[in-house]
Structures are given as C-alpha cells and as structure tokens.
Amino acid sequence: MNPQFDYIFELFTLLISLAVAEMLMGFSRILKLRARRKAGVDPTAIEVRVGWLVPMLGLLVLVDLATFWSIIWSMRGVLDMRMATIFGVLVLIGGYYLVATLVFPDEPELWPDFDAYFWQQKRWVVGGMLLINLATATASFQLGAQTQEQGELMAQAAQQNPPFAIAMLILLFNYPAFLWLALTKGRRRSIVLMVFFTQLFFAATSWGIEGLL
C-alpha cells in the first residue's frame, strides 16, 4: 500500500462521514416528525405522506457512497499526497455531500407529500451521482488502479462462479440506468431503477473471493 494513502484516506473518511450523517439525519427528521404528530405533542404538525420514493432515493445514495468508498480503497496503491489528489477528493466528496443535502427536505412539515419533493430534486441528485461516478471511473482508469493481476482474478472468478459473472454484467448497465433514472418521469420506472442499483447481489456473489472487495 502507498504510505501516503493513509493521509488521503483520513481526509476522505472525514468528508464522506459528513455525507452519511446528512443522510441519516434526513431519516431521523422524518421519524421525529411522525412521532410528534402521533403523540399529539405538536398540534401544528401536519399529516405528511412520506411514501417510498424519497426513502428509496436516500438508500440509493447510501449504497452509492459505500460503493464509492470501496472504489477509493481499491485505488490505495496509486493515490499519493499531491495537491491535485487533495483537490480531486474535495471535489468528489463535496459533490456527494451536496447531493446528500438534497435528498430529504430540511423542513419536512412544509412538504405534505414527499413525492412532490422527489420530483423536484431527483434529476439533481441522480445526475450528480452519475457525474461523480463517471469522474471516479475515469480517474481510476487513468491512474491504473486495477492491476493486470486483479483483472485476471475477476475473469477467473467469473468463469468459475456464474452468479458473480451475472453481477458483473449488471454493473455494466449502471451508467445508462443512472441516466434513465435522472430523466424518467414515471413512478414505477423510478422505483424499479432504484432497486436495480442495489449492490447486494454483487457483494453476495463476491463474498469469499480472495482479493476482491
């Protein structure tokens, strides 16, 4: 491992923790609002319909943050302590934090129907994630983060483990699916696409394969 990576990773961990905390606070605000209304301690609390769209978008951002963390970890051998690296980390994680702040409304009581808020912010949130993922993939490719040995390991694992090969194939469609989700105006299509991004299948099929995250 590059010894300078430890300093970069500390900065990365600090910034990504803020984005994760923002997401968790969004879920917390919803639960507290509903608790106040049900307990009757806040007579002014209005009936808020949360629905599925905003929470699923929040889970999607959390999953993508976890995936981004694994990608950065895979680049530990090529990242060093340079101004360009620090600036790149700040831009990417700053973008994630900005995206995280847009998922949940700061004042839930002002949005009686969270679906309306979802349609206001979806394009910005999903479009932001798409740009960040493209920038990260480009940086990983240019820096040569994936070694020939790792590529051969993944190819061998795909041949010996068909579910893992299917999971890798699904990952190839992430970028067009992100774009489709950003542009679609259909409720059902949005839900299906947000479920599509779940990385649990890839994580489950790669479990136990030595050398893979």
Side-chain angles (χ1 to χ4, degrees):
M1 180 187 296
N2 188 339
Q4 297 183 10
F5 176 78
D6 291 338
Y7 300 99
I8 297 294
F9 199 67
E10 288 178 4
L11 173 62
F12 164 78
T13 302
L14 174 63
L15 295 175
I16 201 171
S17 297
L18 294 175
V20 173
E22 182 67 29
M23 296 301 308
L24 296 178
M25 283 191 294
F27 284 106
S28 175
R29 282 193 294 266
I30 293 175
L31 295 175
K32 289 179 179 178
L33 177 66
R34 297 183 65 179
R36 291 198 306 269
R37 178 175 51 80
K38 289 184 177 181
V41 296
D42 186 2
T44 63
I46 63 174
E47 180 76 25
V48 173
R49 180 186 177 277
V50 177
W52 288 95
L53 294 178
V54 169
M56 288 185 67
L57 185 61
L59 290 175
L60 173 60
V61 174
L62 284 175
V63 169
D64 202 59
L65 280 168
T67 304
F68 179 67
W69 186 93
S70 69
I71 293 174
I72 294 296
W73 178 255
S74 70
M75 297 170 65
R76 59 189 180 276
V78 295
L79 288 179
D80 53 11
M81 197 68 175
R82 292 184 296 177
M83 182 59 67
T85 305
I86 296 174
F87 181 74
V89 170
L90 287 173
V91 169
L92 291 176
I93 303 301
Y96 262 122
Y97 180 77
L98 178 60
V99 164
T101 61
L102 297 177
V103 175
F104 293 95
D106 292 332
E107 300 179 2
E109 60 275 9
L110 299 181
W111 294 88
D113 187 352
F114 271 32
D115 285 1
Y117 181 83
F118 172 84
W119 296 115
Q120 288 278 347
Q121 304 290 5
K122 174 178 66 72
R123 181 172 297 184
W124 298 103
V125 173
V126 179
M129 285 193 294
L130 174 60
L131 291 176
I132 293 170
N133 276 273
L134 286 172
T136 304
T138 301
S140 178
F141 177 77
Q142 290 183 344
L143 293 174
Q146 185 177 21
T147 64
Q148 182 178 356
E149 182 180 354
Q150 290 173 326
E152 293 175 352
L153 175 63
M154 295 186 70
Q156 182 180 0
Q159 291 178 354
Q160 299 175 353
N161 189 348
F164 177 71
I166 295 174
M168 290 182 59
L169 181 62
I170 291 175
L171 290 179
L172 296 177
F173 292 94
N174 268 8
Y175 295 121
F178 264 122
L179 182 59
W180 192 4
L181 177 59
L183 298 178
T184 186
K185 297 181 180 179
R187 174 185 173 85
R188 291 183 179 179
R189 286 192 296 270
S190 295
I191 292 176
V192 170
L193 286 169
M194 284 189 284
V195 172
F196 173 81
F197 287 110
T198 301
Q199 308 294 332
L200 295 179
F201 183 56
F202 179 81
T205 56
S206 62
W207 184 271
I209 301 177
E210 186 176 354
L212 293 181
L213 289 173

